[in-house]
């Protein structure tokens, strides 16, 4: 409640069935702890709704996930060592939910895989990687 500079976490009890067409709002109902009597009718509340949670999710930027003509999704990772460096390895991935330019990878990658971000769109499987030191511009 911004005017009172207070926050409270609560469970949503009911959600309206209709979205108001002019302002894209909907009704929801919850209960607040008002033992101190500070909440009054018609106070404006800003509500953040957590509608999805996946603990320990593996998340990557959505723009590094590529798609083949057949619809399969993939990313490139740093693969096996070659005489002159490392090879790019194409890894097919199963996708989950996405939000704010990030997407959950449900299958295909594991913790510790080094995902290729820059230049990945111009790679093919088993291309020799030219790894540059990271610049902090």
């Amino acid at each position: 409640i911004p005017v009172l500079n207070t926050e409270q976490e609560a469970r949503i009890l009911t959600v309206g069935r209709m979205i108001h067409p002019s302002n894209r709002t909907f009704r929801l109902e919850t209960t607040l702890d008002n033992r101190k009597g500070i909440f009054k009718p018609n106070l404006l509340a800003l509500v953040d709704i957590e509608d999805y949670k996946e603990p320990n999710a593996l998340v990557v930027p959505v723009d590094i996930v590529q798609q083949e003509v057949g619809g399969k999704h993939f990313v490139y990772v740093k693969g096996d060592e070659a005489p002159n460096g490392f090879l790019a390895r194409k890894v097919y991935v199963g996708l989950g939910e996405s939000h704010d330019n990030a997407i959950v990878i449900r299958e295909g990658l594991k913790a510790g895989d080094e995902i290729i971000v820059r230049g990945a769109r111009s790679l093919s499987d088993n291309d020799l990687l030219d790894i540059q030191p990271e610049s902090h511009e």
Side-chain angles (χ1 to χ4, degrees), residues 66-118:
Q66 300 181 57
Q67 186 175 21
E68 290 182 338
V69 175
K72 293 172 98 177
H73 294 92
F74 65 94
V75 296
Y76 284 105
V77 299
K78 179 178 164 185
D80 296 331
E81 191 166 2
N84 296 330
F86 290 89
L87 300 176
R89 184 168 53 92
K90 185 179 195 176
V91 176
Y92 291 100
V93 293
L95 304 179
E97 300 291 321
S98 66
H99 174 70
D100 201 21
N101 200 34
I103 192 161
V104 173
I105 303 296
R106 294 206 183 279
E107 56 188 40
L109 293 178
K110 61 187 179 308
D113 282 344
E114 294 183 62
I115 301 166
I116 299 168
V117 177
R118 287 196 200 134

Side-chain angles (χ1 to χ4, degrees), residues 40-57:
K40 304 293 183 202
N42 297 318
L43 282 176
L44 175 67
L46 299 178
V47 180
D48 289 322
I49 300 173
E50 181 180 87
D51 64 342
Y52 175 77
K53 187 174 186 176
E54 189 165 333
N56 304 315

